Amino acid sequence: MSDFDLPQSPAGAWLAWWVRKLNSGGEGAQASDWDRYSPAVKARVSEPLTAETMRANWQANLGRLGQVTDIAIEKDEAFAVVAVVKTVKDRRWVVGIDVEPEPPHRMTRFDFERRHDFQLGFREATADDAAILADIERRCPIVMGETSVHFDRGDDYMAATRLMEDCSIGLASVDGVPAAVSCGAEHVVRVGGVLKKMITVSHLRVLPEHQRKGLWGAANKVLDKYEDRVDGSNAYISVDNLGMQHGFANTPNKWPQLVHRIPLDCAALAGPPAGRPATEADAGDMLRRLNAFHDAEEMFVPYTAESFSRRMTRAPDLYAWDRVWLTDGALVGAWAYGNALRLITEVGGERTVSRSGVVMDYAFAPGAEAELEALLRAWCGRLAGEGFDSLVIYSSPASPGADMLARLGGGAERFFMWTPGIAVPEGAEARGLYVDAAYF
């Protein structure tokens, strides 16, 4: 590793230590390194970092950034330094560090962002940006082998966000022209039996001509406002989406359990009406069924009367009590979002357009699996008559009802899940993985 001419100051010493650790991939990292950080910085991390997790973080950063090859100092003060760092990947990064004035000069601020050769802009999108956001998504196909897919959210780009508790959309631009969008939502999950606040990041799209320019991070800057009040984040990446997997190659906390997105063929599975529409008077019974059914799955948070009422009334034009159908032993609630989202698939030059509904909630009591199937078939029949071709339901290999859903679907689209900042609990590979369709 080359030596660099760095300021001989407390802030400069902290920068030098950071560069050494990064370039060595965390060699010699130990738990006591955590003492270099101020209490305020430590408070942002849900659990103390061990030597092992520190080394893993350094190695992940080295893989993402590459080794530092050159440093130019832009600000040199005793307790504050700003440096432009160049790495082997021929990218430049601005590093800003503040330290406490008293020994041992613990770090109080660490800013890190890409420096570009163009004007990078970012802001939070609003409903007035709906047409711009939809256009970006249409122009950003997801390539999986020989298959290319893209989404068209029509005139109501914001529809899906209204089903989430607290959602923000970031819009990044290159020299003033919109080029990337990212959606993130804060919500509570249960991991290893412990409640965690999490940001689920979805709908990240970067125009092909502007990829690998750092727009991913720029669009996600809108989520910085959540940083001090969440434990971590999560993202779902298709097993077949090798491009996105490359971007997550050095991201920690990849789960061993897969998420299954199962499209049910409405025409093939269409069945007669079953059950009855729920009403608000059924709320207590519904939440007890859902809690019992999903209780053993990771990521599921048992409903209370208040939280379930909020879910069912958050966007009543999209999903409300009457969208849940009940039998004595099962329930299925669906949102027919095909008017707000079309999936366009191209394989070998052939183009198909799909309109799908999605199952928001489902459960069955022991021995009532057939009732769940009857409700799913009834929903397929309803949607087929309205011009929808599929009903999407989420599961995992260890989730209840997984075998039956796999049989009905005839195949599943598989997704990996990462939770940066939240460790994968022991035994997660043997437990089901719950997915709230509103956040997928």
Side-chain angles (χ1 to χ4, degrees):
M1 180 183 73
S2 301
D3 292 327
F4 302 101
D5 184 17
L6 301 180
Q8 301 299 305
S9 65
W14 215 99
L15 173 62
W17 175 80
W18 177 82
V19 172
R20 287 196 304 273
K21 286 299 181 187
L22 176 65
N23 279 2
S24 68
E27 181 179 338
Q30 47 194 315
S32 59
D33 289 344
W34 198 219
D35 296 335
R36 292 176 175 269
Y37 299 77
S38 70
V41 173
K42 292 180 181 180
R44 299 174 193 160
V45 180
S46 57
E47 299 176 359
L49 298 181
T50 65
E52 182 179 359
T53 55
M54 281 193 162
R55 281 192 295 272
N57 288 343
W58 285 117
Q59 289 165 7
N61 285 330
L62 178 60
R64 182 169 64 94
L65 306 174
Q67 285 195 329
V68 174
T69 60
D70 188 45
I71 301 175
I73 302 299
E74 292 195 340
K75 177 181 178 180
D76 179 7
E77 297 179 0
F79 309 115
V81 64
V82 175
V84 178
V85 173
K86 185 177 180 180
T87 67
V88 293
K89 294 189 176 183
D90 201 29
R91 296 173 181 173
R92 293 182 301 157
W93 309 85
V94 180
V95 180
I97 297 171
D98 290 354
V99 299
E100 295 174 336
E102 301 82 15
H105 306 298
R106 295 173 297 187
M107 185 270 288
T108 59
R109 179 185 69 91
F110 186 91
D111 289 338
F112 188 82
E113 63 180 23
R114 182 96 171 261
R115 174 161 289 184
H116 304 276
D117 296 324
F118 54 85
Q119 183 63 44
L120 174 65
F122 62 89
R123 62 179 174 84
E124 185 164 352
T126 70
D128 293 337
D129 297 306
I132 294 173
L133 301 174
D135 179 63
I136 291 176
E137 187 149 23
R138 281 192 291 268
R139 295 163 59 195
C140 293
I142 302 169
V143 179
M144 298 173 288
E146 297 181 356
T147 302
S148 171
V149 301
H150 71 270
F151 296 94
D152 185 346
R153 297 184 186 274
D155 297 329
D156 193 0
Y157 184 92
M158 304 293 183
T161 67
R162 292 189 284 122
L163 292 168
M164 304 177 190
E165 291 183 44
D166 184 354
C167 179
S168 297
I169 299 176
L171 180 62
S173 60
V174 173
D175 292 331
V177 179
V181 59
S182 181
C183 175
E186 178 187 4
H187 59 126
V188 178
V189 298
R190 187 175 59 171
V191 176
V194 179
L195 296 182
K196 301 283 188 179
K197 287 188 175 181
M198 172 182 283
I199 291 290
T200 293
V201 182
S202 60
H203 308 170
L204 174 65
R205 302 290 185 267
V206 180
L207 291 178
E209 62 268 30
H210 293 305
Q211 292 178 4
R212 298 188 181 276
K213 291 183 179 179
L215 271 68
W216 181 342
N220 279 336
K221 275 188 172 294
V222 70
L223 307 181
D224 288 352
K225 62 185 179 182
Y226 299 112
E227 182 177 328
D228 292 336
R229 64 181 197 242
V230 299
D231 299 294
S233 62
N234 84 312
Y236 304 102
I237 306 297
S238 170
V239 169
D240 298 316
N241 191 344
L242 301 183
M244 283 298 293
Q245 286 183 53
H246 174 78
F248 275 75
N250 298 296
T251 302
N253 302 323
K254 179 181 180 182
W255 283 58
Q257 186 70 269
L258 290 172
V259 169
H260 283 180
R261 180 183 183 272
I262 305 170
L264 304 178
D265 187 325
C266 287
L269 296 174
R276 63 171 178 84
T279 68
E280 188 173 0
D282 296 305
D285 177 51
M286 291 165 62
L287 74 87
R288 283 191 292 272
R289 294 194 201 190
L290 290 166
N291 289 349
F293 183 74
H294 293 293
D295 185 60
E297 292 182 287
E298 293 286 351
M299 301 286 284
F300 178 76
V301 176
Y303 288 111
T304 64
E306 293 76 16
S307 67
F308 191 59
S309 177
R310 287 196 301 269
R311 179 178 182 81
M312 300 306 300
T313 59
R314 188 169 289 127
D317 57 322
L318 302 177
Y319 186 60
W321 303 105
D322 63 338
R323 304 295 294 183
V324 182
W325 294 354
L326 302 171
T327 63
D328 290 342
L331 68 84
V332 173
W335 170 39
Y337 67 75
N339 290 325
L341 177 63
R342 298 186 305 154
L343 176 65
I344 293 88
T345 304
E346 294 188 16
V347 182
E350 292 191 14
R351 186 174 187 266
T352 60
V353 179
S354 172
R355 297 176 68 225
S356 301
V358 63
V359 172
M360 297 292 293
D361 294 296
Y362 69 99
F364 64 86
E369 193 171 270
E371 293 181 42
L372 178 71
E373 180 173 344
L375 287 171
L376 290 172
R377 288 180 177 275
W379 266 111
C380 284
R382 159 81 174 269
L383 295 179
E386 296 177 357
F388 291 82
D389 46 54
S390 64
L391 174 63
V392 172
I393 189 167
Y394 293 93
S395 184
S396 74
S399 293
D403 291 341
M404 183 267 286
L405 295 176
R407 172 176 56 81
L408 289 179
E413 299 166 6
R414 300 172 301 150
F415 291 80
F416 295 122
M417 185 180 80
W418 280 263
T419 55
I422 299 177
V424 179
E426 186 176 351
E429 68 280 356
R431 292 190 288 275
L433 192 54
Y434 172 78
V435 174
D436 186 339
Y439 296 91
F440 191 87

